[in-house]
Amino acid sequence: MIEANPERVLRDLHCLRGIGAFRTGVHRPTYSAEDMRTRHWLADRLAALGHAAEIDGIGNVLGRAPAKGRIVLGGSHLETQNEAGWLDGALGVVFALEAARAVAEAGGPGGVDVIAFADEEGHFGSFLGSRSAFGAVDEATLDAATDRTAGTPLRQALAAAGLAGRPRLRLDPARYAGFLEAHIEQGGSLEKDGLRLGIVTGIVGARTFRIACAGQQNHAGTTRMADRRDAGVSLRAVAARLEAGAAALAGPLTVWTIGMMRLDPGAQSVVPGFAEMLFQFRDTDARILAAIEAMVRETVAGADAAGPCRVTLHGPSHASEPAAMDPALMAALEAAAEARAPGMHVRMPSGAGHDAQIAAGHMPAAMLFVPSIGGISHHWSEDTAEADIALGAQVYVDAVARVLAAG
Ligand SMILES: [Zn+2]
């Protein structure tokens, strides 16, 4: 058995918590000064461990183990949502760093490469760092990308972060036995069920569409009901049909959300001339995603044909495919969890997106979840009990050791 050092794990996590601290959480948007400090912090630690450490042209931090034999890739991300929690991303990076140290101290077998993928949180795009590392981001995409909060062009942010002109690294899937990512659950299932570890079976795919209605803006007192082309009325009717349609097609894990609705001009005495909404749905089953997408297209086309408003569909602005986790890696995580916390673990899907879903397209990948207190995440109050962090680190190290010994 290779032992993790829980004090060292907690010390590292608290060190990262001090960089960009916001209340009890952190504020480290991608390529901010604080974000870059964490990337250099990690690269320094990996170099001190004897890894070949680099920060590439998109901000990915990679430390390659000098070991012979099987290599596991471990890691997650370091940047955060705005004014967010201290463990989202950092936990998975520090667990991987701990696994690299523990395996090196034990003299193997094999070794652990550690990666912090850039911009998993999507300030400038969708999984830019991990997609870049697998060759799926071209230069034109980088030219066009801007920060969703401030509008800063990505090229400008990369230059300010000292990354302009650096080559972007490419991961070689043939080097790896697999990718293991630890993460906080970001939901309340484990806590509610009194469990301490989740073994992720698959990561949901998602689609987001914008639906726009164009009618005729007019006076709310003088325009008779029969004469109106009220964009708000049309939009609400489409919304009701989409929600009923999704419910009819849903599996047990399907979720759908209208996260934004807007009426224009949005005044009490004006019939809206324009209205729009965002409709998003997620599932681990690609067939359900496809069926709901077809329903959305049909519903919008039908509403447009029926009038009196023009109803149009735009997007998907965000589309990701579901990713199944690797059975052998899941079995290693499960065996490690059962040995350290018998009966306290469960197999579960991930409703949130993670870099592991990008990696899964190129090599075996799996994820380990630890509980989130109150199920809260993407908020500065996000937290996990220290005992759960310590247990998670040990189970992660055990699972990595099992995979390395399997070859
Ligand atoms: Zn995350």
Side-chain angles (χ1 to χ4, degrees), residues 1-393:
M1 284 280 192
I2 296 179
E3 294 298 318
N5 181 336
E7 290 78 33
R8 189 163 61 183
V9 168
L10 286 165
R11 197 164 56 236
D12 282 348
L13 285 170
H14 281 288
C15 184
L16 288 171
R17 190 182 201 168
I19 303 175
F22 175 83
R23 301 199 185 187
T24 62
V26 291
H27 177 69
R28 289 197 305 262
T30 313
Y31 311 126
S32 62
E34 294 76 20
D35 172 53
M36 290 308 298
R37 272 180 64 200
T38 66
R39 294 183 196 281
H40 287 285
W41 175 94
L42 177 63
D44 290 349
R45 257 143 202 82
L46 289 166
L49 184 61
H51 279 42
E54 63 171 308
I55 304 177
D56 83 344
I58 193 98
N60 286 328
V61 186
L62 175 66
R64 287 186 171 91
K68 297 242 180 323
R70 279 164 79 84
I71 303 288
V72 162
L73 180 66
S76 190
H77 60 94
L78 285 169
E79 81 285 334
T80 70
Q81 293 285 331
N82 295 330
E83 302 178 356
W86 69 299
L87 295 171
D88 182 351
L91 179 115
V93 171
V94 169
F95 278 18
L97 175 61
E98 179 60 19
R101 287 188 293 220
V103 168
E105 286 163 2
V112 181
D113 284 9
V114 179
I115 193 149
F117 289 115
D119 203 33
E120 189 273 347
E121 295 292 5
H123 290 273
F124 287 87
S126 179
F127 300 109
L128 269 187
S130 50
R131 285 169 51 229
S132 169
F134 290 105
V137 177
D138 58 17
E139 294 294 314
T141 302
L142 303 189
D143 292 340
T146 57
D147 173 23
R148 65 175 145 84
T149 306
T152 311
L154 173 60
R155 293 290 188 192
Q156 191 182 318
L158 287 172
L163 299 173
R166 289 195 195 196
R168 287 190 280 142
L169 68 84
R170 280 290 291 274
L171 289 169
D172 174 14
R175 175 175 166 83
Y176 298 109
F179 175 61
L180 282 172
E181 179 173 10
H183 207 278
I184 53 168
E185 183 198 345
Q186 302 182 282
S189 309
L190 291 174
E191 185 182 74
K192 213 168 289 160
D193 295 339
L195 299 171
R196 301 185 66 192
L197 297 154
I199 291 106
V200 176
T201 52
I203 302 173
V204 299
R207 306 264 192 285
T208 302
F209 286 94
R210 185 170 71 89
I211 293 117
C213 296
Q216 177 62 54
Q217 184 177 325
N218 215 328
H219 194 291
T222 60
T223 315
R224 288 170 183 275
M225 297 310 286
D227 298 334
R228 292 187 182 195
R229 289 171 57 223
D230 185 326
V233 168
S234 292
L235 189 76
R236 292 197 299 278
V238 171
R241 265 176 248 143
L242 292 182
E243 291 188 311
L249 296 166
L253 300 171
T254 315
V255 292
W256 58 94
T257 306
I258 294 173
M260 188 282 284
M261 268 184 143
R262 192 175 71 84
L263 304 182
D264 186 84
Q268 63 172 345
S269 293
V270 184
V271 175
F274 178 81
E276 62 177 351
M277 66 181 168
L278 294 176
F279 184 72
Q280 183 198 69
F281 46 99
R282 305 185 187 217
D283 204 284
T284 51
D285 186 335
R287 288 164 306 178
I288 291 180
L289 288 179
I292 295 180
E293 177 170 341
M295 180 276 295
V296 170
R297 292 185 184 282
E298 209 170 287
T299 301
V300 169
D304 186 52
C309 295
R310 287 308 313 269
V311 185
T312 49
L313 184 68
H314 308 266
S317 59
H318 170 84
S320 59
E321 292 307 316
M325 298 291 95
D326 179 71
L329 294 184
M330 283 166 57
L333 285 167
E334 194 161 54
E338 180 62 19
R340 298 279 179 177
M344 302 294 280
H345 53 91
V346 67
R347 291 189 173 216
M348 61 189 296
S350 171
H354 295 287
D355 289 312
Q357 83 194 70
I358 305 300
H362 305 272
M363 64 171 85
M367 292 191 76
L368 177 69
F369 278 171
V370 297
S372 296
I373 294 173
I376 291 172
S377 171
H378 283 185
H379 185 266
W380 54 265
S381 65
E382 162 197 294
D383 207 359
T384 296
E386 285 199 351
D388 286 335
I389 294 174
L391 174 65

